[in-house]
Amino acid sequence: MSNTFGHLFRITTFGESHGAAIGVVIDGCPAGLELAAADIQRQLDRRRPGQSALTTPRNECDTVAVLAGVEHGVTLGSPIALSIANANTRPGDYASLADVPRPSHADFASLMKYGIKSASGGGRTSARETVGRVAAGAVAAKLLERIGVEIVAYVQSVGSIDAEGIDPLTVTREAVDATPVRCPDPAAAAGMEAAILAAKADHDSVGGVVACVCRGVPAGWGEPVFDKLNALLAHAMFSLPAVKGFEIGSGFSATRMRGSAHNDAFYRRDDGTLGTRTNRSGGIQGGISNGEPILFRVGFKPTPTLGRGQETVDYDGNPVHLEARGRHDPCVLPRAVPVVEAMAALTLIDAALAQRATARWPG
Amino acid sequence: MSNTFGHLFRITTFGESHGAAIGVVIDGCPAGLELAAADIQRQLDRRRPGQSALTTPRNECDTVAVLAGVEHGVTLGSPIALSIANANTRPGDYASLADVPRPSHADFASLMKYGIKSASGGGRTSARETVGRVAAGAVAAKLLERIGVEIVAYVQSVGSIDAEGIDPLTVTREAVDATPVRCPDPAAAAGMEAAILAAKADHDSVGGVVACVCRGVPAGWGEPVFDKLNALLAHAMFSLPAVKGFEIGSGFSATRMRGSAHNDAFYRRDDGTLGTRTNRSGGIQGGISNGEPILFRVGFKPTPTLGRGQETVDYDGNPVHLEARGRHDPCVLPRAVPVVEAMAALTLIDAALAQRATARWPG
Amino acid sequence: MSNTFGHLFRITTFGESHGAAIGVVIDGCPAGLELAAADIQRQLDRRRPGQSALTTPRNECDTVAVLAGVEHGVTLGSPIALSIANANTRPGDYASLADVPRPSHADFASLMKYGIKSASGGGRTSARETVGRVAAGAVAAKLLERIGVEIVAYVQSVGSIDAEGIDPLTVTREAVDATPVRCPDPAAAAGMEAAILAAKADHDSVGGVVACVCRGVPAGWGEPVFDKLNALLAHAMFSLPAVKGFEIGSGFSATRMRGSAHNDAFYRRDDGTLGTRTNRSGGIQGGISNGEPILFRVGFKPTPTLGRGQETVDYDGNPVHLEARGRHDPCVLPRAVPVVEAMAALTLIDAALAQRATARWPG
Amino acid sequence: MSNTFGHLFRITTFGESHGAAIGVVIDGCPAGLELAAADIQRQLDRRRPGQSALTTPRNECDTVAVLAGVEHGVTLGSPIALSIANANTRPGDYASLADVPRPSHADFASLMKYGIKSASGGGRTSARETVGRVAAGAVAAKLLERIGVEIVAYVQSVGSIDAEGIDPLTVTREAVDATPVRCPDPAAAAGMEAAILAAKADHDSVGGVVACVCRGVPAGWGEPVFDKLNALLAHAMFSLPAVKGFEIGSGFSATRMRGSAHNDAFYRRDDGTLGTRTNRSGGIQGGISNGEPILFRVGFKPTPTLGRGQETVDYDGNPVHLEARGRHDPCVLPRAVPVVEAMAALTLIDAALAQRATARWPG
């Protein structure tokens, strides 16, 4: 069940990092959506490696091919199959992996699980798997746009440098992309860039936080028990490589507050509907969207692949000094931004279709 | 899909807080497990209201009845149906809810979703729904015990008071239950208790963090992509009422570290297997358990139900001063401990059965 | 996954034939449906044992209790839990089952599967399990009635006696219930009744066919590939005990026809929509409903439990002469009628909600 | 949910008949299976069009490309992605479909469902979709072979010509493939061939029955309630285009028998295990395999696409005389044989993995 996400708008990704292709099949996309390859390519380009000095030198154009599900630029209601060739593979870089499990990587745990060592660096736990997610997320986002839902993610922190003054109500993808680090606070962005390049110079890596806002989500999405919208988002974000923490709205800071300070009181908006002036709930109450912007943060650890040497042991337990050769990012944050947006879009569209299915009937 | 959790060991909970009964159906429990009602009752007693001055005065004995699936003290492989009568209901306490959505509660969002106001305080988003989870979790835990998996949760912080010096490798449920607040650091426990009673005296509430360790989980559970074991745990914990944050291993602190400081190097254990001396991975690498203890933390907001007055509006947008009458906990943390354990057990057993299903075959 | 049926309108049944209770949890029923216990009881009464000389003497009133999901006579959108107590159990009748697997029963296969012998006659494969299905089917039917879908099943044949002249466009449940055998052709019904009583007198049993029509199903339900509406119906009907065959529309007779004689040509109805004058497709083309009545037939084998002696062997392979003591039906057909209707309703409502979810969006 | 089959060994097919490619993603195949493209190609060649005078002249070599999931000839445990290019497309043949829904085809129902007319002849309901199933079924069969499960399907009847004397215990794929019609009774095969060619000469089509035997299935697969093994097989077979009937073991003939004549008494085999000498149960009792060969039959209608003219109406209701241009089979039976085998293999492997998951634990 590992490779499928969603119930009604359901994606299945496939592909090894160093195999022939990587891709995704989307099942459940309604018919009649105008969809061009360019709609998908745009987000793939934001995710692709080699886009700046901050990312891995592995250079992939990651051009999407639409194999099925779209005819004359319109979705048919059938599965949309998207494939992206792996152009720039270097399996030789991973030869040493046959002997040594990389620290804080999936090599050891995967061997325990499958009883087999994949020669293709990282196999399915490679960040390259997220290509399919981003492609599918672009389709989900296109559907969400039709009803006014807009998703913007950005880098909130890198190492100890935090962005300040970003207004989630107004931040745009353009502002995010204005810096290579994808932080819309220019001063912080400069510091983050320096921190990443410093880590790179040290053959080291650094972590950080991506924040995300989903605007225009109507009240009523998400389920009250196990499939709370926040639980689905947490699942989605924790399914990304390198994620160590997730919080929504007030997050962990809520644990130090009293209820009287934390509650979001209601008020009447000008249009007569109810809203909340504060949004410590992060747009979700009791697992169900309440019409306020959805706000969450995702914490990423520093990339475990290091050019810098590490003292560890091989599969037989013999001490080894390990220096990675594979091409890798000193910091995953800038490229994680479109991936977080994709998983948010996939989560929301699935909740939207579920709400359509089980709302009052016949209506 | 809201009311079912798990794929192979699958539970479906039912029941409103103020209806006839609350319960759970467990599908997928293997046959041949010795199971007595007492195995389940033990954890229900740890969760039940009215157990100390720190909890709601709603007093429910929460006695479990086994309706199906067990014969002569042994599971049959058929669905195990467990029902717990709601003895001490007071729907009258919730009469005012017809007019006013409680701040930071699910009332408003639920109305938007279902187009209906449930008269039964909180409906399915009530914390009382977790009774069924705890009952099912006790069955899951019984299965896990057979292969040496042990789960212990405890209160790590309440408000600004943090426990210190707790060793996740050795902490026991006995130590946890030694204080009514369920914190195995006695000094911190005393402070937490005082903080909760102070909030109660102010008709206010307070949040906190539950930490949990799962010991004895073998390497190889969890899936490398969407159903990473950490993603499943995040989903499980965020499906609990009042959760605002989740982190695993190093958690958000990892975002401020460099890779060289964060990586868990391997070493050879005395028995020849590989382990890691540090455990910033929290027992999971690439979504798959690696044989180290699984460590995570769950952040709970302060209870939104307050005896203290709040300024908000009714459904028509008219300002109201709201003082809650329903019985409620000033702090959910002490009673959340067995609930967190239950969700951890349910997540792990489902991953265990999935691994059984898809491991090398015929073996 | 055995005990759940449906994806969006999802039921989970529980209960052993000789345990405390039998029941069902329905998840996914939209809120706002008026629902009374009497709506459910009506179909349970048509299924209950002891209703005529043609059925088992086990007498159960099968009174439904609504544990959750309904408040003030209206569904809440939360799980509807229905429980029916087992009043008239006689586990002693099944004592000999500990030693001898009944021919053409599930005893032997169940032991191979679970490694355990259930003392409760037949366990989950008992026809008593269908109580929960009938209860849930009544809820599904209530939803379907709102949009004009009507389901009528009837006994088409018993042994070698076939009903004639039944018009599926007009047959009613009243006409069906006019005879105890539930065949709306009175002449055939008399013959069927005699055949059943003759088998009963011989301590033997007899099989037959149930036909079913679903009128008012709009075009567009069902999926074109794996979840064809006919495939879902086939799954549903074959999940009933004792079913050996299923056919839709022309059924097996189509295998002997040429395409020019089999095709259903289109014509224009008076209201301008398209229809077919013939209906060899049985209301489904390419897996999708086409607006014509859905027509199918389900073949049931003779009850395997026989008062008459049978030569077989015990679990150790020793020859035994087996005479059943348990109370049983000489022919399941009359009581199978509401069960077939229930499974048809459950299948259709699930397809209806799926179509709602994935139709053009936002509409 | 239309395009996925199976829960643990789960396939998702994609592709339109006249698009770029058609294919399948298999999720849940255990790691460590030796798998070559040739293993898959063998069954694709049995299914491919243009293989004899009895099939459509559309000539496709249907060469499979393995995009992911296999490395060095061994499965990795990750999704296996298989793609088959559509080489010989002629969308022009389907131009008239824009105006006229073909009788007994999915055109009309699909339009009602999706609100869109696919220009690609038949879209997903085209028999070409089964390419992906056959490819995936070959992988499932490879796994099943490891434990001695063998599946053989053959043509039992075409029109009014029935095969005789075929022993399901010994029939082989070689005997099946000895005639182009895939009937191992040579005399009947000759008659069937003549019947098909006669229908072809008349620009007409003819139906028939495929029989299938699964040998070596151990006792204990399948679930006792909704996921009975026979229900899963019925679902699988009815998901194929043109299927109108399904029966298992004695099938509809059981409806005319008495229980005393129908029951399969047990006996002790030489190896001490229990078996049944008769097999009217078709290898499944109470939904669970009992160790005897599984026997079923699938009834196919005559192909609805006819070169011969048909009187019908266009979408606007205007009478038209329709003569098909698309290339089509006068009889689907010979090519249906590997497709039925594929669906049987996919059903069995999924049941096998489910049994592994939920059997007594830890074992």
Side-chain angles (χ1 to χ4, degrees), chain C residues 189-350:
Chain C
M192 291 170 180
E193 194 169 344
I196 295 170
L197 294 173
K200 187 180 181 184
D202 292 346
H203 303 287
D204 210 335
S205 64
V206 66
V209 173
V210 169
C212 185
V213 56
C214 310
R215 296 186 292 245
V217 175
W221 292 3
E223 304 290 329
V225 184
F226 295 111
D227 288 347
K228 288 183 164 72
L229 192 53
N230 34 344
L232 299 173
L233 286 166
H235 188 146
M237 298 306 151
F238 256 103
S239 78
L240 294 173
V243 171
K244 302 299 288 180
F246 177 80
E247 50 181 12
I248 191 146
S250 53
F252 276 100
S253 77
T255 68
R256 304 192 176 271
M257 295 171 76
R258 280 197 166 186
S260 54
H262 187 269
N263 276 2
D264 294 317
F266 288 99
Y267 77 105
R268 183 186 163 126
R269 294 201 197 94
D270 289 344
D271 65 1
T273 62
L274 299 196
T276 66
R277 287 196 206 276
T278 55
N279 187 11
R280 284 179 280 265
S281 299
I284 300 173
Q285 287 171 330
I288 303 167
S289 61
N290 67 351
E292 301 296 327
I294 293 174
L295 303 169
F296 61 84
R297 282 170 304 287
V298 190
F300 291 85
K301 72 174 182 179
T303 322
T305 311
L306 304 178
R308 196 180 169 100
Q310 300 178 76
E311 306 309 316
T312 184
V313 299
D314 65 16
Y315 283 109
D316 294 328
N318 304 309
V320 296
H321 177 84
L322 182 73
E323 288 180 22
R325 293 230 180 157
R327 297 154 296 175
H328 52 269
D329 291 271
C331 179
V332 300
L333 276 287
R335 291 175 60 207
V337 163
V339 184
V340 165
E341 288 173 350
M343 292 310 297
L346 292 165
T347 305
L348 290 177
I349 194 68
D350 201 41

Side-chain angles (χ1 to χ4, degrees), chain D residues 83-233:
Chain D
S83 178
I84 295 97
N86 287 324
N88 188 359
T89 63
R90 280 204 220 156
D93 282 0
Y94 297 86
S96 65
L97 297 185
D99 301 321
V100 186
R102 288 168 297 172
S104 291
H105 257 281
D107 302 333
F108 171 73
S110 292
L111 176 62
M112 293 297 101
K113 182 175 190 66
Y114 295 112
I116 201 171
K117 286 177 201 162
S118 163
S120 45
R124 290 288 290 162
T125 58
S126 163
R128 187 148 181 78
E129 180 273 335
T130 60
V131 165
R133 308 186 189 210
V134 170
V139 180
K142 197 107 205 269
L143 276 168
L144 289 166
E145 279 165 24
R146 286 184 168 199
I147 59 155
V149 175
E150 195 180 22
I151 299 169
V152 181
Y154 52 90
V155 174
Q156 171 63 38
S157 71
V158 167
S160 57
I161 301 164
D162 277 273
E164 281 177 22
I166 299 168
D167 180 1
L169 295 182
T170 57
V171 64
T172 64
R173 285 194 185 173
E174 290 65 36
V176 172
D177 284 353
T179 65
V181 80
R182 290 208 170 87
C183 172
D185 168 357
M192 291 171 181
E193 194 171 342
I196 295 170
L197 293 173
K200 187 180 179 184
D202 292 346
H203 302 286
D204 210 336
S205 64
V206 65
V209 172
V210 170
C212 185
V213 56
C214 309
R215 295 185 293 244
V217 175
W221 292 3
E223 304 291 328
V225 184
F226 295 111
D227 289 346
K228 287 184 164 75
L229 192 52
N230 35 342
L232 299 173
L233 286 167

Side-chain angles (χ1 to χ4, degrees), chain B residues 119-301:
Chain B
S120 44
R124 289 287 289 161
T125 56
S126 161
R128 185 147 181 77
E129 180 274 334
T130 60
V131 166
R133 308 185 190 213
V134 170
V139 179
K142 196 106 204 270
L143 275 167
L144 289 166
E145 280 165 23
R146 286 182 168 202
I147 59 155
V149 175
E150 196 181 21
I151 299 168
V152 180
Y154 52 90
V155 174
Q156 171 62 40
S157 71
V158 166
S160 57
I161 301 164
D162 276 272
E164 280 176 23
I166 299 169
D167 180 359
L169 296 182
T170 57
V171 64
T172 64
R173 286 194 184 172
E174 290 65 37
V176 172
D177 284 354
T179 64
V181 80
R182 291 209 168 86
C183 171
D185 168 357
M192 291 172 182
E193 195 170 342
I196 295 171
L197 293 173
K200 187 180 180 183
D202 291 346
H203 303 286
D204 210 334
S205 64
V206 66
V209 172
V210 170
C212 184
V213 57
C214 309
R215 296 186 291 245
V217 174
W221 291 3
E223 305 290 329
V225 184
F226 295 112
D227 289 347
K228 287 183 165 73
L229 192 53
N230 34 344
L232 298 172
L233 286 166
H235 187 146
M237 298 307 151
F238 257 103
S239 78
L240 294 173
V243 172
K244 303 300 289 180
F246 176 80
E247 53 182 10
I248 191 146
S250 54
F252 277 100
S253 76
T255 69
R256 304 193 176 270
M257 294 171 78
R258 280 196 165 188
S260 54
H262 187 267
N263 276 1
D264 295 318
F266 288 99
Y267 76 105
R268 182 186 165 127
R269 294 200 196 96
D270 289 342
D271 65 2
T273 62
L274 299 197
T276 66
R277 287 194 207 275
T278 55
N279 187 12
R280 285 179 279 263
S281 298
I284 300 174
Q285 287 171 331
I288 303 167
S289 61
N290 69 350
E292 300 297 325
I294 293 174
L295 304 168
F296 61 85
R297 283 170 303 285
V298 191
F300 291 84
K301 71 175 183 180

Side-chain angles (χ1 to χ4, degrees), chain A residues 217-222 229 283-285 287-292 294, chain B residues 108-109 112:
Chain A
V217 175
W221 292 3
L229 192 52
I284 300 174
Q285 286 171 331
I288 303 167
S289 61
N290 68 350
E292 301 296 327
I294 293 173
Chain B
F108 172 73
M112 293 296 101

Side-chain angles (χ1 to χ4, degrees), chain A residues 14 188 322:
Chain A
F14 62 84
L322 183 71

Side-chain angles (χ1 to χ4, degrees), chain A residues 31 143 146 356-357 359-361, chain C residues 31 143 146 356-357 359-361:
Chain A
L143 275 167
R146 286 184 167 201
R356 260 183 126 190
R360 268 168 176 270
W361 194 73
Chain C
L143 276 167
R146 287 183 166 201
R356 261 182 125 189
R360 265 168 178 272
W361 194 72

